[in-house]
Amino acid sequence: QVQVAESGGGLVQPGGSLRLSCAASGSGFRLDRMNWYRQAPREVHEFVASISSDGSTKLADPVKGRFSISRDSAKWTVYLQMDNLKPEDTAVYSCKADVTESGSLDQKFFWGRGTQVTVSS
């Protein structure tokens, strides 16, 4: 099993910044990719950003130019730096780890519980 835990959410004013962290822990797996998703009230689950084992990153169009994703590969930890936050960024942000079990080709997915981000004046 892989445990995934997010931290760093909170209340911030429009235009402010927050940095979310996601730590994955476990053994017997290769970490392929870590992803951030978000879900606002009455909205669909939305992809935000991802970073792969080779360091390549993807960002959703609504957050390009404002958010960035980075990692500390030695610790299986990724960071989502969120700048110039807008009220529409308010959501529960969840982290997903895509892993491959050692000795297998099967990919598995593990989710954290999420952290609330509220952007409001």
Side-chain angles (χ1 to χ4, degrees):
Q1 289 293 318
V2 174
Q3 289 76 45
V4 179
E6 307 93 339
S7 61
L11 173 64
V12 64
Q13 292 187 342
S17 298
L18 279 177
R19 189 176 83 153
L20 304 182
S21 299
C22 173
S25 60
S27 61
F29 292 90
R30 182 186 72 239
L31 182 62
D32 297 324
R33 182 181 301 107
M34 291 187 75
N35 314 267
W36 284 100
Y37 286 78
R38 67 185 181 185
Q39 187 167 23
R42 299 174 298 279
E43 296 290 338
V44 299
H45 211 205
E46 178 185 34
F47 169 79
V48 178
S50 68
I51 185 165
S52 298
S53 57
D54 63 0
S56 59
T57 61
K58 292 183 180 179
L59 290 167
D61 286 344
V63 306
K64 283 181 179 177
R66 300 187 298 120
F67 291 13
S68 61
I69 185 169
S70 61
R71 65 176 182 173
D72 181 340
S73 56
K75 298 180 181 179
W76 278 31
T77 300
V78 298
Y79 307 98
L80 185 67
Q81 178 66 41
M82 305 186 295
D83 298 319
N84 190 22
L85 282 159
K86 303 175 181 180
E88 52 263 43
D89 294 318
T90 295
V92 174
Y93 284 72
S94 300
C95 183
K96 178 170 75 80
D98 303 345
V99 305
T100 300
E101 189 173 3
S102 298
S104 169
L105 297 177
D106 295 335
Q107 194 170 53
K108 296 183 178 181
F109 310 103
F110 296 90
W111 288 86
R113 292 175 178 247
T115 184
Q116 177 70 46
V117 171
T118 302
V119 185
S120 175
S121 55

